[in-house]
Amino acid sequence: EQTEQHPNRLHFFQDEDRAILVPVTINDSVMAITLFDTGASNTRVQLDSTFCAEHPLPAWENPIASTKGYLTGWAKKEDPKVTRTTYKQPLTINMCGVDMEFDSFYTQDNSNCVGKFEACFSFSAKDTTHVWELNFEKNYMEPHPSQDFTMPENCRVFPLIAIGHWDMGVRFP
């Protein structure tokens, strides 16, 4: 949901597991309900394999690797045990009117995950021009240009830091 006063403000949805689910556009062509996870990798996106099979795009035509495991949404007769397929293709996710660029992505079966979502991602490491406001009291997120951003009163800053190779975390004071 967006308003005239805040055209880039996006009200997110919380299910009983407190997941942040937001609608986004992938590569300017496919709408998806995504799980926004601030602790997820900021360089890769996870896509649901069934979603990709139902919405074919050139971006997911040439994988670089597949890992064996549980079934996915891809053609099960061809390879019945593929669990994760990795792609070294750029991917753009538009959220709140901001294009976020990612270097790669992978697909897997998300049918057993918390809630129903078609992708999972965090802020892009390439986005250095925005400060993202996450307001959990009123359930919205909104990007602000970083060059003229003024911190509102009564707010806290928790910087994201890298934890390992793919994960992010918050450093609490």
Side-chain angles (χ1 to χ4, degrees), residues 1 16 21 42 50-51 60 100-101 105 118 132 165 173:
E1 176 185 337
E16 64 279 357
L21 299 174
N42 62 353
T50 302
F51 171 77
W60 38 85
M100 289 189 274
E101 303 288 329
F105 63 95
E118 295 146 341
W132 287 84
H165 187 65

Side-chain angles (χ1 to χ4, degrees), residues 12 18-19 29 32 40-41 45 67 71 77 80-82 117 124-125 144 163:
F12 53 81
R18 302 179 57 89
S29 59
S41 166
V45 175
T67 314
L71 295 173
K77 292 178 184 174
K81 294 187 184 252
V82 172
F117 60 91
S124 171
H144 303 280
I163 300 173

